[in-house]
Amino acid sequence: MPDLPVVVIGAGPQGLAAAAHLVERDMDVVVVERGAAAGTAVSEWGHIRLFSAWPELIDSASRRLLEPTGWAAPSTGYPTGSAWVSGYLAPLAEALGGRVRFDTTVTGVARQGRDKVVDSGRRGRPFVVHTRDRHGAEGRVLASAVIDASGTWGTPNPAGADGYPAVGESTASDLISYRVPDDVSSLAGSHVVVVGAGHSATHAVLRLTDLARRSPGTRVTWLLRRGSAASALGGGAGDGLPERAALGTRARRAIDAGSVDVVTGFRVSEFRRDPDSLVVIAEDGREIDGVSRVFALTGFRPDTEILRELRIDLDATLEAVAGIASEIDPNIHSCGSVGATGARQLSQPEQGFFIVGVKSYGRAPTFLALTGFEQVRSVVAHLAGDHEAASRNELVLPETGVCGGSGDFDTASSGAGCCAAPSALQISRTPTALDPARSLTLEIMTDSIPSVLFVCVHNAGRSQMAAGFLREFAGDRIEVRSAGSMPADQINPIAVEAMSELGIDITAEAPKVLTTEAVQASDVVITMGCGDACPFFPGKRYEDWELDDPAGQGIDAVRPIRDDIRRRIEALAGELLA
């Protein structure tokens, strides 16, 4: 079947990467995407920032395809889903041109003239990909091979703890969402429940606790199926993904501040509708009442309905590709300890058919974009007959230190499988000592110079003014740093003017990017609007100062911000130098 194209299902990160590798090897490819544009699913969570940095989110063949067009790869930072689409996926789809068919839904994949039962002549027949366009017109595409990169976004898990929708869950669907919320302002003053222990649930909890701080009367309840919240809070310093570590850090702060009620061992069995609210009921009979809105964020599962006429081998537990299940089991692995999975592990009884990307992982939450890029590189090499390249391992992953597995599901142990959070990071309203000499609240050693890092988004206003004040007040008795999660090109000139009014010159400073090394080298880390971007290390003191952003404001508006910073710095310097 050399004259037939390879059909790729899905124009997401892995689907487009597979197409780029096929083009690089001069193989015909057709990408079929149900959405109207590249990365449609990613766009739906476009307000969420990824844990992986830009260099880990760009496939090698895709980079080589894009660079001749004048596209320049972002080199630093952690993009949101929207930025990933606009800065990479959309340009990649444009470079692939007419090979990508949008607004086309795959309704089934089979062997031409053979249903699942028929053996005779099966391997010699091409694949048939059944499609339906946005107007309802049906079609077929013959293919020499098929790569299913359709993902799992369309099939979220229910809130019900046994894997099925809880009693009343379907009828209460108007009050239950399975997506991470963006704008939560309409929920001010209400009781909101989040179900789930993963990163999506943590994102939702943090958005809601921010709302609760701004809008008194807003109540947030976080329901966890496990007996401990440790796994939901990440691996701290053991996490090789700083953005994910920062998420856990913020969740710890919210819990310690009393901004969220955490209920462990709560397995949802029923939703009961009262006249104006919901009651959420657990298997053990506990009830959470007066609930206005529920966010059920319990993961995803693959939809294999379109593959029912193919012979595929999926793991009975994870619903992952059977050949990789033992390598990705969240009870054993984190997303940074999984091995590389290539064409050999992803092969199916149906020769020439592959499931790749997050769908290949089934229900396992241990997937990273880098893993998927390595998958498609190997699969395409296999389809091209380059078996040496297909068997080669080119994957390098961070050791992440956390996992999403069941661990000790029923107990309140701090452990969670093999990748538990460090035992010193207990959940409590009082910081827990790491050892007698140093605790999570900083104890400055008398024979060392304390160091402070100020962090804001652009490192152009608030953090620069804070650093300027501290240098002025403390001289060389405190080491001062500042950085930004998305540094600007230059310092805000109004901030410079405001500081010069007090005789402090910050004109020589320049915005710098926030690095893990800067955080690790500092004793005190003070964030000003970007705490979610700051890596967490045990033994550091973290504070978040709620300050207005001087960006775009005139001198009259910036002076009060400057004076607020000065008062805080005076108190901080007095404390550190006491």
Side-chain angles (χ1 to χ4, degrees):
M1 298 172 278
D3 296 331
L4 296 178
V6 176
V7 169
V8 177
I9 305 173
Q14 277 68 49
L16 293 176
H21 281 274
L22 288 161
V23 169
E24 190 170 57
R25 289 181 175 272
D26 294 321
M27 300 174 68
D28 289 337
V29 57
V30 173
V31 181
V32 183
E33 166 58 43
R34 70 186 303 169
T40 298
V42 177
S43 294
E44 289 191 27
W45 50 265
H47 54 291
I48 302 297
R49 191 172 300 281
L50 284 91
F51 297 132
S52 298
W54 265 116
E56 299 165 1
L57 296 169
I58 299 172
D59 165 70
S60 57
S62 302
R63 180 189 294 268
R64 292 189 290 270
L65 179 64
L66 282 167
E67 285 177 340
T69 70
W71 173 86
S75 58
T76 60
Y78 298 84
T80 60
S82 293
W84 196 19
V85 171
S86 62
Y88 169 60
L89 298 178
L92 179 54
E94 185 175 354
L96 290 167
R99 302 178 182 90
V100 185
R101 301 181 184 179
F102 294 113
D103 291 315
T104 303
T105 299
V106 172
T107 58
V109 184
R111 289 283 189 178
Q112 186 183 38
R114 305 289 191 274
D115 66 17
K116 190 174 189 174
V117 177
V118 178
D119 287 332
S120 177
R122 187 174 192 85
R123 287 196 174 184
R125 306 303 297 173
F127 290 94
V128 180
V129 179
H130 293 258
T131 64
R132 184 177 60 248
D133 68 18
R134 62 192 175 102
H135 302 295
E138 297 178 340
R140 303 197 319 169
V141 182
L142 297 183
S144 60
V146 175
I147 299 174
D148 184 354
S150 58
T152 60
W153 181 250
T155 47
N157 289 329
D162 59 8
Y164 286 96
V167 173
E169 184 169 347
S170 299
T171 56
S173 60
D174 58 321
L175 299 178
I176 303 173
S177 172
Y178 302 90
R179 299 290 187 246
V180 179
D182 184 4
D183 183 1
V184 295
S185 58
S186 63
L187 301 173
S190 64
H191 182 192
V192 187
V193 163
V194 177
V195 182
H199 307 114
S200 295
T202 309
H203 270 294
V205 166
L206 291 175
R207 287 180 182 273
L208 291 165
T209 54
D210 286 343
L211 173 67
R213 283 192 290 271
R214 299 192 306 269
S215 303
T218 305
R219 180 183 170 195
V220 184
T221 301
W222 192 359
L223 303 182
L224 302 174
R225 293 172 180 170
R226 299 178 187 171
S228 166
S231 63
L233 301 180
D239 196 331
L241 299 174
E243 284 291 297
R244 189 169 64 189
L247 194 68
T249 300
R250 292 186 62 202
R252 287 186 184 91
R253 294 174 185 165
I255 292 170
D256 288 345
S259 301
V260 55
D261 296 322
V262 178
V263 183
T264 59
F266 195 104
R267 289 145 206 179
V268 176
S269 66
E270 182 180 353
F271 291 95
R272 187 177 68 235
R273 195 153 195 161
D274 284 346
D276 300 316
S277 62
L278 284 178
V279 179
V280 188
I281 305 170
E283 294 281 359
D284 59 11
R286 285 180 291 169
E287 296 186 356
I288 307 295
D289 59 13
V291 178
S292 299
R293 185 75 167 169
V294 174
F295 291 95
L297 303 168
T298 58
F300 298 85
R301 62 183 65 180
D303 181 358
T304 57
E305 176 63 19
I306 64 172
L307 310 178
R308 69 176 183 270
E309 293 302 327
L310 293 179
R311 298 174 179 181
I312 59 175
D313 188 10
L314 301 180
D315 179 73
T317 300
L318 298 178
E319 299 179 42
V321 172
I324 71 172
S326 63
E327 298 294 330
I328 64 171
D329 187 343
N331 297 294
I332 302 171
H333 294 283
S334 76
C335 49
S337 67
V338 298
T341 55
R344 180 177 62 82
Q345 294 91 347
L346 294 166
S347 62
Q348 292 288 339
E350 204 75 70
Q351 186 175 346
F353 173 75
F354 294 90
I355 301 173
V356 301
V358 68
K359 188 171 184 175
S360 72
Y361 274 47
R363 299 193 188 195
T366 47
F367 181 78
L368 288 176
L370 278 175
T371 312
F373 294 153
E374 174 64 8
Q375 286 183 339
V376 299
R377 182 203 64 77
S378 175
V379 166
V380 171
H382 170 82
L383 293 176
D386 187 350
H387 300 297
E388 186 279 326
S391 62
R392 193 167 59 238
N393 178 8
E394 298 183 3
L395 180 66
V396 178
L397 287 175
E399 188 66 46
T400 62
V402 294
C403 64
S406 61
D408 196 351
F409 190 79
D410 291 296
T411 71
S413 166
S414 63
C418 65
C419 311
S423 59
L425 301 180
Q426 305 290 332
I427 300 173
S428 64
R429 298 183 186 275
T430 302
T432 303
L434 294 168
D435 60 55
R438 191 175 183 89
S439 71
L440 292 180
T441 54
L442 181 69
E443 293 182 10
I444 300 298
M445 306 303 291
T446 58
D447 59 350
S448 64
I449 297 175
S451 57
V452 179
L453 170 65
F454 298 101
V455 185
C456 67
V457 177
H458 301 302
N459 191 216
R462 292 165 292 185
S463 57
Q464 291 286 359
M465 288 191 285
F469 277 127
L470 190 54
R471 291 190 186 100
E472 178 72 15
F473 297 157
D476 58 3
R477 293 176 294 169
I478 297 177
E479 185 177 8
V480 181
R481 301 180 179 91
S482 70
S485 55
M486 291 184 290
D489 295 329
Q490 62 179 9
I491 293 183
N492 183 345
I494 304 300
V496 173
E497 179 184 350
M499 294 296 285
S500 68
E501 291 180 348
L502 302 180
I504 300 175
D505 184 5
I506 61 172
T507 56
E509 303 301 322
K512 297 174 287 296
V513 68
L514 175 66
T515 65
T516 301
E517 291 75 18
V519 178
Q520 194 165 20
S522 303
D523 297 305
V524 181
V525 180
I526 295 175
T527 57
M528 305 170 179
C530 64
D532 57 339
C534 198
F536 175 81
F537 291 95
K540 310 296 179 187
R541 169 178 164 181
Y542 290 86
E543 292 185 16
D544 185 56
W545 290 359
E546 293 187 10
L547 298 164
D548 291 337
D549 190 347
Q553 307 221 49
I555 188 66
D556 290 337
V558 171
R559 287 188 184 112
I561 301 172
R562 174 202 64 191
D563 295 341
D564 188 2
I565 292 172
R566 176 175 182 164
R567 286 189 293 271
R568 293 171 186 259
I569 294 297
E570 288 173 341
L572 177 67
E575 177 186 349
L576 297 181
L577 297 175

